[in-house]
Amino acid sequence: MRRAWKSKSASASSPRKDADFAKGARRSPAFSQALTNARLFAKDPEKLRQLFKEAVKKAPTIPREPFKDLWAYFQAMLRLIGAYYRREYRNVPVQSLVTIVGAIIYILNPFDLIPDWIAGLGFADDAVILSFAIRQTRQTLDDFMTWETTSRERNAP
């Protein structure tokens, strides 16, 4: 068993430590700043375009393991930002756009709560923030992905 090395008390407190870590990441100055910046970006298509380009360029270098089941939604967030700044898709509540953009800004910041260069931990806070953003915006993301599918079907020859 892989958990054999952990004591019972450490295992019992693990969910609480995870919850405390998640709360700390969401309340961190780095995420607060990312949300502040996101409010400005949401009003400026050029800033969204620059963020989109930077995120698309960095995405292949991000290790997928910390994000596991979140990766498809991360990719959807990037596509949504691209479609939004190009004015192809605008059915996005402002708060959802701010949350999505804030999460992307946070993930792109290598010096957030836990610096990305710390092996094994550096993307843990990023995954927590991404998970939080997905929970907050899941309906918006699902609606966007439905729109993508139906618009492709309409445009197919």
Side-chain angles (χ1 to χ4, degrees):
M1 271 193 157
R2 296 191 88 174
R3 289 199 216 186
W5 62 273
K6 289 185 178 182
S7 70
K8 287 184 181 182
S9 62
S11 296
S13 66
S14 181
R16 182 180 173 125
K17 285 181 183 179
D18 290 347
D20 289 346
F21 177 72
K23 188 182 291 184
R26 289 191 314 266
R27 294 182 177 173
S28 72
F31 189 53
S32 293
Q33 184 62 52
L35 289 174
T36 298
N37 291 342
R39 287 181 193 92
L40 299 172
F41 279 49
K43 298 175 187 176
D44 187 341
E46 181 56 29
K47 286 185 187 243
L48 284 177
R49 184 185 71 75
Q50 290 171 357
L51 176 68
F52 173 75
K53 285 185 145 192
E54 182 182 346
V56 166
K57 185 177 178 180
K58 183 174 179 180
T61 68
I62 296 173
R64 290 190 184 192
E65 181 57 28
F67 299 98
K68 296 180 183 163
D69 297 331
L70 307 174
W71 194 255
Y73 276 104
F74 172 70
Q75 294 292 316
M77 288 176 167
L78 296 180
R79 293 190 313 274
L80 183 144
I81 291 170
Y84 190 87
Y85 91 76
R86 289 187 303 265
R87 297 186 169 279
E88 296 169 357
Y89 184 80
R90 303 293 269 187
N91 189 23
V92 184
V94 173
Q95 188 55 47
S96 292
L97 182 63
V98 167
T99 300
I100 289 166
V101 170
I104 299 300
I105 290 170
Y106 187 90
I107 290 167
L108 293 179
N109 179 2
F111 302 106
D112 46 36
L113 183 62
I114 301 174
D116 293 347
W117 50 264
I118 297 177
L121 293 175
F123 287 96
D125 59 321
D126 297 35
V128 166
I129 294 298
L130 184 60
S131 178
F132 168 75
I134 291 167
R135 280 194 313 277
Q136 297 298 310
T137 65
R138 183 169 300 232
Q139 188 61 55
T140 298
L141 292 166
D142 288 343
D143 291 347
F144 170 70
M145 289 186 284
T146 299
W147 171 82
E148 282 183 309
T149 302
T150 57
S151 65
R152 268 188 293 227
E153 289 170 358
R154 277 183 293 199
N155 295 330

